Amino acid sequence: MSGHGTPIPMISTACGPLKGVADVPGDKSISHRSLILGAMAVGETVVTGLLEGEDVLDTAKAMRAFGAEVTRDEDGTWHVHGVGVGGFSEPDQVVDCGNSGTGVRLIMGAAATTPIAVTYTGDASLNKRPMARVTDPLALFGCQAVGRSGGRLPMTLVGAEDPVPVRYTVPVPSAQVKSAVLLAGLNAPGQTVVIEKEATRDHTERMLAGFGAEITTQDTEEGRVITLTGRPELKPQTIAVPRDPSSAAFPVCAALITPGSDVLIPGIGLNPTRAGLFYTLQDMGADLTFENMREEGGEPVADLRAKYSPDMKGIDVPPERAASMIDEYPVLSVVAANATGVTNMTGVKELRVKESDRIEAMASGLRACGVTVEDGPDWWRVSGMGPGNVPGGATCASHLDHRIAMSFMVLGMSTKDPVRVDDGQPIATSFPIFEPLMAELGADIRREG
Ligand code: S3P
């Protein structure tokens, strides 16, 4: 759980070249799903490379509360003894998902078609985020929800006694909503169909197929049509979680803007529904290459090599790429500030309802550091100042948002004066080894106070 302790102010100061190998942690999306699907299978799922960040640990705790046995070996191997589809028992306490929108929304889906009453809560950030986008489609299965005004947590969901299958077109590009509906569909008889107009990350579909569910995906004029046959017996799996491209984004972007850098980031998942940032950086002229392309556990994987790139140019980021890099816009804006020319980011309304309003959070911090940023409801535009020309010198608010905190720490590596964040505590939700990993590469990021 983040946001409950004393704030941790942090400072990042321009540093020498970043050099070496950055072993970033496991993928957050796949880690949540490994625990949830493992808990819904019959038998023992074994997971290696699980991200041991607070978000995922909160999901592990939740799965225990629903009756699954979740244990960790000393070497970091996790075991999940699942209770089967429809086998969740009613937790006897409130389920606290901390900072994690993915955790709470996927778990709500997974429990929505089992007749149990569950009360969910989270930290101050999560309790501000919209949940109706999930509870509306779950109501179609017969699940009832009562929460605070505006569909906010804390919220109680009573799962359907006699669930019916659902056909649902997701109104916003959201893998969390799609996944919540699919997980609910597991315990509904017949076929549940989810249609998404824009393809979002497809880990749930891939992993459900891996666990033995009958699931098909078709690209049609209507969009991507995903059909799941309910009431399968999910077979336990052995899962090696690939490293997280969203975490890799930080050392990659830091290397691109820090003079003399040359960093290797091995084993990064390059699922096309996740890799948009890397193609965008290449379009800007970044010296970023994919080495040793291979497939691991059904996902494309490569070693990324990022070198200092003083000739990057601002671009119009294609809006159709937004879903595949939605978590990476904050750190992209830091690179954009160090590029020459304007970077336009459009079709990004969803950024306003993440752990924070990420457009507002980055725009105000960048402006305080001397960068010109304009923004509207679903777009923003950063005027690049050229490599190393951002003044810096401000304290930026992280708004309980890990990616905002890490983005400003990356910014400080290239600014004339150091950049501070008021609270680096949320970094532990997704990237608990961020500070030692960056220090090892040569960054100067410290805690203050
Ligand atoms: C995630 C989906 C995305 C992303 C989040 C992880 C997931 O959220 O921002 O970090 O694992 O399904 P949305 O579904 O809200 O786009």
Side-chain angles (χ1 to χ4, degrees):
M1 287 183 282
S2 77
H4 296 292
T6 316
I8 302 175
M10 290 171 65
I11 178 169
S12 174
T13 307
C15 55
L18 301 179
K19 297 268 186 194
V21 178
D23 281 327
V24 305
D27 189 281
K28 181 154 73 69
S29 295
I30 296 176
S31 294
H32 282 294
R33 287 160 174 80
S34 299
L35 295 171
I36 296 169
L37 289 174
M40 299 178 88
V42 177
E44 183 187 332
T45 287
V46 179
V47 190
T48 53
L50 189 90
L51 167 65
E52 295 181 345
E54 288 172 359
D55 280 9
V56 175
L57 298 178
D58 284 331
T59 289
K61 227 182 277 170
M63 291 303 101
R64 288 189 194 109
F66 283 100
E69 193 185 311
V70 184
T71 57
R72 177 189 189 277
D73 293 343
E74 258 176 37
D75 68 356
T77 303
W78 286 72
H79 303 264
V80 185
H81 290 263
V83 293
V85 168
F88 281 165
S89 45
E90 191 169 271
D92 52 16
Q93 296 289 343
V94 171
V95 172
D96 187 342
C97 290
N99 191 249
S100 182
T102 307
V104 78
R105 291 182 176 133
L106 266 56
I107 295 168
M108 282 178 170
T113 45
T114 301
I116 53 176
V118 188
T119 303
Y120 299 92
T121 192
D123 70 4
S125 153
L126 188 58
N127 287 3
K128 276 191 221 153
R129 298 179 68 185
M131 293 298 143
R133 53 175 55 200
V134 171
T135 54
D136 286 352
L138 296 184
L140 305 175
F141 288 97
C143 171
Q144 294 169 289
V146 181
R148 286 194 306 134
S149 56
R152 319 276 149 167
L153 300 177
M155 185 175 265
T156 299
L157 268 65
V158 182
E161 182 96 49
D162 290 310
V164 290
V166 154
R167 183 180 177 89
Y168 188 68
T169 302
V170 185
V172 286
S174 167
Q176 293 174 0
V177 175
K178 168 180 68 178
S179 302
V181 177
L182 289 172
L183 292 173
L186 279 175
N187 199 32
Q191 293 192 321
T192 286
V193 180
V194 185
I195 301 147
E196 55 177 6
K197 292 183 205 120
E198 291 169 54
T200 62
R201 65 191 68 196
D202 60 1
H203 306 300
T204 303
E205 297 92 301
R206 287 178 187 242
M207 292 178 74
L208 275 170
F211 273 85
E214 207 179 305
I215 182 165
T216 59
T217 299
Q218 273 178 304
D219 286 318
T220 71
E221 272 178 17
E222 241 187 316
R224 187 164 273 197
V225 180
I226 305 150
T227 306
L228 171 75
T229 303
R231 305 250 160 102
E233 180 173 309
L234 297 182
K235 310 255 176 318
Q237 297 299 298
T238 299
I239 301 169
V241 179
R243 297 178 194 274
D244 198 327
S246 299
S247 295
F250 296 100
V252 164
C253 291
L256 299 180
I257 64 171
T258 306
S261 297
D262 181 353
V263 174
L264 184 72
I265 305 107
I268 298 304
L270 280 186
N271 179 317
T273 61
R274 295 290 299 282
L277 170 76
F278 304 125
Y279 300 114
T280 299
L281 293 170
Q282 288 176 332
D283 290 349
M284 294 173 80
D287 188 347
L288 171 64
T289 47
F290 304 149
E291 299 177 355
N292 192 14
M293 289 281 282
R294 56 204 186 267
E295 198 160 299
E296 281 176 15
E299 295 271 351
V301 163
D303 304 334
L304 308 185
R305 183 172 286 279
K307 295 187 186 164
Y308 178 52
S309 304
D311 298 323
M312 289 186 288
K313 308 253 178 319
I315 62 163
D316 292 346
V317 182
E320 61 277 11
R321 208 181 266 171
S324 70
M325 52 180 288
I326 196 67
D327 290 334
E328 284 67 74
Y329 283 94
V331 74
L332 174 65
S333 71
V334 168
V335 173
N338 280 279
T340 309
V342 174
T343 295
N344 280 306
M345 296 167 277
T346 53
V348 290
K349 196 163 70 191
E350 280 296 298
L351 288 179
R352 297 219 178 258
V353 289
K354 295 293 180 187
E355 285 83 331
S356 66
D357 175 342
R358 286 184 168 159
I359 297 178
E360 175 57 29
M362 287 310 298
S364 31
L366 284 168
R367 285 178 193 131
C369 288
V371 183
T372 300
V373 184
E374 296 154 86
D375 72 291
D378 67 346
W379 61 271
W380 52 322
R381 182 183 299 146
V382 175
S383 298
M385 303 184 81
N389 289 334
V390 176
T395 299
C396 307
S398 64
H399 297 282
L400 285 181
D401 188 331
H402 51 132
R403 300 202 199 283
I404 300 300
M406 290 187 278
S407 296
F408 284 124
M409 290 295 91
V410 171
L411 178 66
M413 294 180 198
S414 66
T415 46
K416 294 185 193 306
D417 289 315
V419 173
R420 291 179 162 83
V421 286
D422 61 345
D423 185 12
Q425 198 184 191
I427 293 171
T429 61
S430 72
F431 201 158
I433 58 164
F434 176 75
E435 291 165 78
L437 180 141
M438 295 307 290
E440 179 76 26
L441 295 177
D444 182 359
I445 297 174
R446 290 160 207 263
R447 295 180 177 207
E448 289 192 303

